[in-house]
C-alpha cells in the first residue's frame, strides 16, 4: 500500500524519474564541454562562502523539476510552519525553533502562548556574564585559583556540536584555557582526561538536555567523586555547572540552579549548539565571537527563507542529495573537509543527518516505500585520500562527495595550505574526469612498458570518472562562516525530511538499545544470563564474566 502524500506519486517525481533515464548517461565532463559558463550557472556566492555544485549530474531541467517537486510537497508551507513555531515534531508535540536562538529580532515569538524572546535574552546575558568571569580569571576554584581547564561532559548533541565548533575555531581560543570533552561511558575517556587535570583549576560543564542520559550522568558522578577526593561538598558549585532543560534533576545532582544554563524543549539535541549547549564554545572564543557564529547561522536562515531555489544553497543541496539517493541509488554521502580544524565535522553532520532522516515510517505512520536518509560519513582531506578514496574512485558504489575547503588560514605555513587546496581540487577533478584506458596505455608505454605489459596493466589503472561532487569554499574559517555552513546543512536536512514526508525531529530509534542496556546490565551485575536471552547474548555474557 502506498503512503498518502507519498513523494513518489507526485507528477514531478515521475518526471524526475523519466528525466533520469534520459540524461543519466551524459558524462559529467560533457556538461562542461557543452557549456563554458557552467561554473557560473551552477555556483552561488554568498558573502564569504562559495557553493559550487557544477560537478554534479544536474542541469537546469533537473533544478526546475525539483522546484516543482518542492511546490508539490508544499515545502513553503513547511518552512513557514518551522519558523512560526508550529509543533512540526508531531510525535513529541514540540516546535522546532533552534533558529530563534540565532535571531536577534525584537518582535515577539510565541510558543504555547508565551513570548520566548525575553527568556532567550536572559539566558544569553547569563552566558555572557559567566563566560566573561571565567575568561577574565575571576571565577575562582576552591583554593582561590582561576579556572584553567574546562571539561564538557555530555554525549550526542550535548557533545558533538560544542566539541566540533571549539576545535574548528581554535585560532580564536583563549590562551588561558584548555578544553576537554568526555562523552563515552567507557571509563577510559574520563580516566585519561582526569589524569591531566588539576582539581583546583578545573570546571566541569555537565551538558544534558534531559539530565538523565546514562553516559553523562555516570561520567558526571564519577567526576564529582574525583573532585571530592580533595574538595568539599560546598566547593562543588565553584567547579560544576550544568546546561540542561531539567532544573530538578540538576539540583538533585547537587549543582546549584544558579549555575545552570537553561534551554527549552523546542531545541532538539542535535540542533542545540546555538543554545547554552554552546557554553564551551563561548568560554573558548568569547561571547562576541559566539554572537558572530549565531549571526552567520541567522544569515543562512534568511537566505533559506527568501532565495529562489536557483540560488538557495540548502534547497540545492537537498535536491542534489535526493537526486542521488532516490534516482541514482546512492547509499552513502561523504563529507570531506579540507581543514584539520573541521575534523569533527563529519561526526557532527552524521548525527544531524542520520538521527534526523534515518526513518522508515512516514508522517502518517505507514512504512515508506522510498529511500530516506543516506549514510553520512567522512574524514578530513588529505588523510582520507590515503585511506578510503580508493573506493570512491574505483569501487562499485556511487558516492556523492561534499568537499569543504578554506582559502585563508591563521597560520604561517602557506605552502601547506596551497598543497591542501591543490589536493582538494585534484580530487574533485579526478572524480569527475577520470582517466580512460587509452590514456592509461599511452602513459604506460611512455614509461617504457612493453605493449603487452601496458595492455594487461591498463584496466587496473583506469579511473572511470563521472563521479559527482559539490565544493564549499570559505574565505576563512570564521565563527560567522562556520555558523552559516552548519545552518545550511540543517536546512538541507529539513528540506529532505519534508520531501521524504518523515518527521526529522524525533529519534525513537535510539530508545530500544537504551532499555535493553539496562536489563542486560542487571544480568551483568548478578553475573547471570536470563533464560529469556538468546544464545549469542548469553554466550558473550559468559565469556565476559570469565575474562573480566
Ligand atoms: O540518545 C540520543 C539523544 O537523545 C540525542 O538526540 C541527544 O543529542 C543525546 O541523546 C544526548 O541527550 P541529552 O542531551 O538529553 O543528554
Amino acid at each position: 500500500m502506498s503512503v498518502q502524500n507519498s513523494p513518489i506519486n507526485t507528477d514531478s517525481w515521475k518526471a524526475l524519474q523519466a528525466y533520469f533515464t534520459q540524461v543519466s548517461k551524459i558524462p559529467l565532463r560533457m556538461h562542461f564541454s557543452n557549456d563554458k559558463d557552467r561554473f557560473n550557472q551552477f555556483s552561488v556566492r554568498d558573502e564569504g562562502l562559495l557553493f559550487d555544485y557544477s560537478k554534479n549530474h544536474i542541469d537546469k531541467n533537473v533544478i526546475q523539476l525539483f522546484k516543482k517537486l518542492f511546490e508539490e510537497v508544499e515545502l513553503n508551507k513547511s518552512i513557514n510552519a518551522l519558523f512560526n513555531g508550529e509543533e512540526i515534531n508531531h510525535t513529541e508535540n514540540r516546535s522546532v525553533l533552534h533558529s530563534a536562538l540565532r535571531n536577534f529580532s525584537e518582535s515577539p515569538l510565541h510558543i504555547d502562548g508565551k513570548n520566548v524572546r525575553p527568556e532567550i535574552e536572559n539566558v544569553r546575558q547569563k552566558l555572557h556574564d559567566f563566560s566573561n568571569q571565567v575568561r577574565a580569571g575571576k571565577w575562582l576554584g576552591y583554593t582561590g585559583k582561576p579556572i584553567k581547564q574546562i571539561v564538557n561532559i555530555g554525549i550526542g548533541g550535548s557533545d558533538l556540536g560544542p566539541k566540533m565548533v571549539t576545535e574548528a575555531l581554535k585560532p580564536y581560543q583563549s590562551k588561558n584555557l584548555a578544553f576537554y570533552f568526555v562523552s563515552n561511558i567507557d571509563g577510559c575517556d574520563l580516566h585519561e582526561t582526569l589524569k591531566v587535570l588539576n582539581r583546583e583549576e578545573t570546571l566541569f560543564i555537565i551538558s544534558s538536555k534531559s539530565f538523565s542520559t546514562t553516559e553523562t550522568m555516570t561520567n558526571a558522578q564519577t567526576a564529582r567523586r574525583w573532585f571530592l577526593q580533595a574538595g568539599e561538598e560546598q566547593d562543588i558549585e565553584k567547579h560544576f555547572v550544568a546546561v540542561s532543560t531539567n532544573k530538578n534533576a540538576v539540583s538533585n545532582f547537587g549543582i546549584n540552579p544558579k549555575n545552570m544554563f537553561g534551554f527549552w524543549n523546542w531545541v532538539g539535541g542535535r540542533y542545540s549548539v546555538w543554545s547554552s549547549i554552546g557554553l564551551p564554545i563561548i568560554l573558548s572564543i568569547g561571547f562576541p565571537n559566539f554572537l558572530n557564529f549565531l549571526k552567520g547561522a541567522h544569515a543562512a536562515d534568511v537566505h533559506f527563507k527568501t532565495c529562489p531555489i536557483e540560488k538557495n544553497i540548502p534547497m540545492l543541496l537537498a535536491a542534489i542529495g535526493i537526486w542521488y539517493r532516490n534516482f541514482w541509488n546512492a547509499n552513502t554521502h561523504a563529507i570531506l573537509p579540507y581543514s584539520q580544524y573541521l575534523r569533527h565535522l563529519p561526526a557532527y553532520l552524521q548525527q544531524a543527518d542520520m538521527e534526523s532522516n534515518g526513518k522508515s515510517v512516514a508522517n502518517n505512520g505507514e512504512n515508506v516505500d522510498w529511500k530516506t536518509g543516506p549514510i553520512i560519513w567522512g574524514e578530513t582531506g588529505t588523510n582520507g585520500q590515503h585511506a578510503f578514496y580508493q573506493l570512491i574512485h574505483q569501487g562499485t558504489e556511487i558516492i556523492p562527495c561534499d568537499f569543504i575547503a578554506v582559502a585563508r588560514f591563521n597560520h604561517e605555513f602557506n605552502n601547506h595550505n596551497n598543497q591542501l587546496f591543490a589536493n582538494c581540487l585534484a580530487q574533485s577533478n579526478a572524480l569527475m574526469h577520470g582517466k580512460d584506458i587509452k590514456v592509461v596505455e599511452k602513459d604506460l608505454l611512455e614509461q617504457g612498458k612493453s605493449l603487452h605489459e601496458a595492455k594487461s596493466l591498463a584496466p587496473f589503472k583506469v579511473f572511470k570518472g563521472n563521479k559527482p561532487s559539490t565544493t564549499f569554499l570559505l574565505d576563512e574559517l570564521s565563527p560567522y562562516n562556520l555558523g552559516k555552513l552548519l545552518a545550511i546543512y540543517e536546512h538541507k536536512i529539513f528540506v529532505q525530511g519534508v520531501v521524504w514526508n518523515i518527521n526529522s525531529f524525533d529519534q525513537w530509534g535510539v530508545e530500544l538499545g537504551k532499555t535493553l542496556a539496562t536489563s542486560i546490565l542487571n544480568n551483568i551485575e548478578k553475573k547471570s544470563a536470563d533464560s529469556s536471552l538468546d544464545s549469542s547474548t548469553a554466550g558473550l555474557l559468559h565469556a565476559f564474566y570469565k575474562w573480566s
Side-chain angles (χ1 to χ4, degrees):
M1 184 174 63
S2 83
V3 182
Q4 236 185 350
N5 297 328
S6 145
I8 61 176
N9 291 333
T10 58
D11 291 342
S12 39
W13 190 282
K14 289 174 196 156
L16 277 161
Q17 192 66 64
Y19 197 61
F20 168 76
T21 322
Q22 207 182 312
V23 297
S24 57
K25 295 283 177 297
I26 301 175
L28 264 178
R29 51 181 177 266
M30 196 181 279
H31 285 303
F32 278 86
S33 50
N34 288 347
D35 177 6
K36 296 286 169 239
D37 197 37
R38 183 168 170 88
F39 169 72
N40 287 326
Q41 298 291 328
F42 297 99
S43 63
V44 180
R45 171 85 197 269
D46 184 65
E47 303 176 296
L49 181 148
L50 176 61
F51 171 66
D52 173 18
Y53 63 107
S54 59
K55 292 191 190 91
N56 281 295
H57 292 277
I58 47 118
D59 59 20
K60 290 211 160 136
N61 291 333
V62 172
I63 304 303
Q64 287 315 305
L65 288 171
F66 271 100
K67 186 177 184 169
K68 289 205 182 101
L69 177 64
F70 292 166
E71 280 160 16
E72 278 193 83
V73 300
E74 301 187 294
L75 175 62
N76 271 339
K77 210 165 143 186
S78 296
I79 294 175
N80 289 336
L82 170 77
F83 285 99
N84 291 339
E86 287 175 34
E87 287 186 355
I88 59 172
N89 178 358
H90 59 90
T91 58
E92 295 181 309
N93 301 322
R94 286 178 188 168
S95 311
V96 179
L97 267 174
H98 48 275
S99 62
L101 301 169
R102 52 208 193 201
N103 185 338
F104 295 87
S105 152
E106 282 173 8
S107 58
L109 177 68
H110 288 103
I111 299 178
D112 295 332
K114 190 172 167 203
N115 179 15
V116 293
R117 294 255 197 247
E119 280 184 41
I120 296 175
E121 197 36 55
N122 286 345
V123 174
R124 267 194 208 134
Q125 190 58 46
K126 195 168 166 183
L127 289 165
H128 168 269
D129 297 347
F130 174 71
S131 60
N132 277 356
Q133 258 189 299
V134 175
R135 284 168 59 82
K138 291 182 181 154
W139 183 279
L140 304 178
Y142 69 102
T143 56
K145 291 187 181 164
I147 294 299
K148 292 216 174 104
Q149 296 161 323
I150 293 173
V151 187
N152 189 77
I153 296 183
I155 198 164
S158 301
D159 165 67
L160 290 165
K163 180 167 71 188
M164 185 272 288
V165 177
T166 301
E167 177 67 23
L169 300 177
K170 227 175 188 164
Y172 296 79
Q173 189 165 307
S174 159
K175 306 269 175 295
N176 303 326
L177 298 171
F179 290 83
Y180 304 87
F181 292 85
V182 174
S183 52
N184 203 324
I185 190 76
D186 183 346
C188 298
D189 203 1
L190 189 60
H191 170 72
E192 292 299 329
T193 307
L194 294 179
K195 265 194 339 202
V196 299
L197 299 179
N198 174 359
R199 287 178 184 80
E200 299 166 64
E201 301 172 335
T202 298
L203 176 76
F204 289 95
I205 303 173
I206 314 302
S207 265
S208 173
K209 180 178 171 184
S210 57
F211 227 76
S212 65
T213 304
T214 314
E215 290 89 336
T216 302
M217 291 303 107
T218 307
N219 279 323
Q221 292 291 0
T222 306
R224 191 174 184 278
R225 280 197 300 276
W226 172 84
F227 174 77
L228 289 174
Q229 284 167 18
E232 305 284 331
E233 276 292 334
Q234 77 264 16
D235 301 324
I236 292 264
E237 65 175 30
K238 300 190 180 90
H239 293 270
F240 284 79
V241 299
V243 177
S244 186
T245 56
N246 188 344
K247 207 169 180 174
N248 287 339
V250 168
S251 79
N252 289 343
F253 178 89
I255 292 180
N256 189 335
K258 80 172 192 309
N259 295 334
M260 166 179 154
F261 301 87
F263 62 114
W264 304 271
N265 73 7
W266 39 266
V267 181
R270 56 193 171 273
Y271 298 96
S272 62
V273 70
W274 323 102
S275 72
S276 303
I277 290 287
L279 178 57
I281 307 169
I282 305 174
L283 289 166
S284 169
I285 67 175
F287 199 74
N289 280 323
F290 187 71
L291 286 187
N292 285 336
F293 174 66
L294 299 184
K295 283 177 187 161
H298 178 63
D301 295 338
V302 174
H303 168 98
F304 176 52
K305 282 193 282 188
T306 56
C307 281
I309 180 174
E310 294 81 359
K311 293 282 164 209
N312 194 309
I313 302 173
M315 287 188 195
L316 289 166
L317 210 50
I320 291 166
I322 295 169
W323 184 228
Y324 292 128
R325 181 77 180 116
N326 298 103
F327 300 90
W328 289 75
N329 213 11
N331 291 316
T332 86
H333 189 113
I335 304 289
L336 307 168
Y338 275 66
S339 159
Q340 192 63 11
Y341 287 129
L342 289 175
R343 70 172 187 265
H344 298 308
L345 182 67
Y348 174 80
L349 290 180
Q350 229 167 24
Q351 188 201 14
D353 204 314
M354 292 170 76
E355 204 167 67
S356 297
N357 287 342
K359 313 280 164 69
S360 51
V361 172
N363 278 313
N364 69 351
E366 291 177 30
N367 286 331
V368 299
D369 48 12
W370 53 90
K371 295 256 177 90
T372 62
I375 297 158
I376 304 290
W377 61 288
E379 169 64 271
T380 50
T382 58
N383 293 2
Q385 288 174 207
H386 297 272
F388 55 76
Y389 278 40
Q390 162 66 36
L391 187 147
I392 306 182
H393 285 288
Q394 288 192 318
T396 50
E397 289 287 312
I398 174 171
I399 303 176
C401 297
D402 288 0
F403 292 99
I404 300 158
V406 181
R408 263 195 324 268
F409 276 102
N410 287 338
H411 61 67
E412 72 274 27
F413 308 131
N414 222 356
N415 60 326
H416 287 247
N417 200 28
N418 293 346
Q419 289 197 48
L420 180 66
F421 191 52
N423 270 278
C424 178
L425 287 184
Q427 289 302 323
S428 60
N429 201 283
L431 286 170
M432 175 168 83
H433 290 287
K435 190 170 176 186
D436 72 23
I437 194 146
K438 289 208 182 73
V439 181
V440 175
E441 280 177 9
K442 187 168 159 277
D443 281 358
L444 287 168
L445 290 171
E446 277 171 14
Q447 286 160 22
K449 301 277 185 214
S450 70
L451 187 59
H452 174 72
E453 281 172 326
K455 289 249 176 248
S456 51
L457 192 51
F460 301 98
K461 297 190 127 207
V462 165
F463 287 73
K464 289 199 181 117
N466 213 23
K467 318 247 180 212
S469 69
T470 299
T471 303
F472 283 97
L473 178 62
L474 308 179
D475 61 354
E476 58 179 345
L477 191 51
S478 61
Y480 186 90
N481 279 344
L482 183 62
K484 180 181 278 186
L485 182 72
L486 301 186
I488 285 172
Y489 272 103
E490 284 180 355
H491 293 315
K492 170 213 126 164
I493 293 163
F494 171 74
V495 172
Q496 294 188 332
V498 172
V499 170
W500 288 324
N501 189 16
I502 53 179
N503 179 2
S504 299
F505 299 106
D506 60 13
Q507 57 286 316
W508 300 109
V510 300
E511 295 302 324
L512 181 59
K514 289 184 191 174
T515 318
L516 289 179
T518 310
S519 79
I520 291 176
L521 181 61
N522 284 335
N523 279 275
I524 293 178
E525 281 167 355
K526 289 186 267 160
K527 284 210 166 196
S528 67
D530 281 354
S531 56
S532 59
L533 292 170
D534 61 78
S535 65
S536 163
T537 309
L540 290 165
L541 277 173
H542 288 305
F544 177 78
Y545 299 146
K546 201 163 158 205
W547 288 343
S548 65

